[in-house]
Amino acid sequence: VSAPVSLACARARAGLQARLDADPAQRVDAAEIETHLAGCMDCRALARELQEVQDALRAAPVLHFPDAALEEVWERTVRARQITRLRRGVAVWGGLAGRGDPGRGSACGTPRAAGPAGTFRGGGAAGGGGGPVRVSA
Amino acid sequence: MDVGEYQRAVLEHKDRVYSFAVHLLRDSEEGRDVAQEAMVRLFTHRDAVVPEAARAWLLRTAHRLCLDRLRQRVARPQAEPEMLDEIAAEHGRPDREAVGRQLGVKIEAALASLSPRDRSLLLLREVHGMPYEEMADTLSVPLGTLKAALHRARERCRQALLGAGVQP
């Protein structure tokens, strides 16, 4: 392999890689490769070895992501978000009830100030009831 | 993507992201941590990612996290052969040989001798069957560079096998 290769070998080897890749963007002259391989023992061995490397790699298993690890992902993402939104909702309701201020309770500015825009909507136009309305992200 | 799409994307790609990280890091525990972190980050950035791009996004993030860990690991000796045992144990499969046979112990050893970059290329292309364009996006390299690098990685993998006295 370390010996210098002829131009014909170099062309054939480039073709071998392209054939392994099955890359439509790379034109491979299959007949030219086969002709060369028939007469070149080194390239024939290389072709076989590269194919075996590819076959072995493709036979590698896709590992199963542990269920417990997936649960942790849900805890840190979807469930954490649900809890945050619930807390915000409770805080908003608590704040409104504690103030006993009907004027503020009907405003939609308070919930928006507590979280990112779009997380909650005040009841005015959208909900009609004056309480926080949960909307999907 | 919305939360539902995020959950579907995670369920669809979790095993590939995990496998990629485990094979790249050669450590099931670190691979699990990296996969988890990539999934959590996807949730944070879900508004900027369309579902069709989730796989590439997850693998790119996992790849970067793996490289960070590999850099940090320089001074730490690596536990090489235990990986297959750990995986087998984690999945409740005492048949280490079966796992090792599937992965191909020879290939496993050859991959271990390659650089993380070569390992990434071969894992993404050959193990995960990722298209070139997606690979280029995942690894943030031009397409032409990627193809040439993949050819060299394949050749180095073959030479690693031969260098170890193993006929592929």
Side-chain angles (χ1 to χ4, degrees):
Chain A
V1 173
S2 57
V5 295
S6 70
L7 189 61
C9 289
R11 278 177 60 84
R13 290 177 186 192
L16 284 174
Q17 292 274 9
R19 193 169 71 178
L20 286 170
D21 291 342
D23 180 8
Q26 291 178 279
R27 277 186 297 175
V28 179
D29 188 337
E32 182 187 344
I33 293 175
E34 291 304 327
T35 303
H36 180 81
L37 292 183
C40 180
M41 199 169 63
D42 286 347
C43 287
R44 206 161 52 239
L46 179 72
R48 190 191 69 243
E49 289 162 6
L50 285 174
Q51 186 63 58
E52 287 172 355
V53 167
Q54 185 177 64
D55 291 346
L57 283 166
R58 290 188 174 177
V62 173
L63 306 172
H64 175 68
F65 186 56
D67 294 341
L70 180 62
E71 280 301 307
E72 285 178 36
V73 171
W74 297 145
E75 288 292 334
R76 291 170 63 187
T77 57
V78 180
R79 287 181 198 142
R81 174 177 176 269
Q82 287 170 342
I83 289 169
T84 302
R85 296 181 74 166
L86 275 171
R87 282 181 180 155
R88 281 183 185 152
V90 168
V92 169
W93 277 107
L96 294 177
R99 286 188 197 103
D101 181 350
R104 290 176 72 98
S106 62
C108 57
T110 306
R112 281 191 179 162
T119 305
F120 290 101
R121 269 202 305 246
V133 177
R134 188 173 169 180
V135 295
S136 59
Chain B
M1 69 175 80
D2 62 27
V3 173
E5 288 168 332
Y6 164 78
Q7 288 180 291
R8 281 192 291 278
V10 166
L11 290 173
E12 186 178 353
H13 305 304
K14 62 184 173 63
D15 292 343
R16 289 211 173 274
V17 175
Y18 173 60
S19 301
F20 174 69
V22 169
H23 287 143
L24 189 53
L25 291 168
R26 301 181 44 69
D27 185 306
S28 59
E29 196 167 325
E30 281 200 284
R32 188 191 61 192
D33 291 347
V34 161
Q36 278 185 323
E37 185 59 30
M39 292 171 204
V40 170
R41 289 190 186 191
L42 176 62
F43 185 78
T44 306
H45 297 280
R46 68 187 184 281
D47 289 341
V49 183
V50 295
E52 297 74 29
R55 179 171 83 154
W57 198 98
L58 282 167
L59 286 169
R60 181 171 60 230
T61 304
H63 179 248
R64 289 174 181 168
L65 291 169
C66 286
L67 291 185
D68 288 344
R69 286 183 180 243
L70 288 169
R71 284 187 205 106
Q72 292 164 5
R73 200 193 267 177
V74 171
R76 184 156 57 94
Q78 211 172 327
E80 294 292 343
E82 285 77 13
M83 188 187 82
L84 295 177
D85 285 325
E86 287 174 16
I87 293 168
E90 248 180 46
H91 297 281
R93 290 183 295 186
D95 52 334
R96 177 199 166 183
E97 285 176 11
V99 180
R101 199 165 50 241
Q102 282 180 309
L103 179 58
V105 174
K106 292 184 292 186
I107 284 291
E108 164 66 23
L111 278 175
S113 73
L114 300 178
S115 69
R117 178 185 167 83
D118 283 352
R119 216 148 62 214
S120 295
L121 288 164
L122 291 171
L123 287 171
L124 289 174
R125 179 65 189 172
E126 308 293 13
V127 178
H128 298 284
M130 186 178 274
Y132 284 120
E133 290 75 13
E134 201 174 327
M135 278 182 76
D137 184 38
T138 299
L139 300 175
S140 303
V141 294
L143 198 55
T145 306
L146 174 87
K147 289 179 182 178
L150 178 62
H151 292 181
R152 286 194 295 271
R154 201 181 270 137
E155 177 61 24
R156 279 194 278 264
C157 185
R158 185 188 73 88
Q159 286 178 0
L161 288 170
L162 293 174
V166 178
Q167 192 74 16

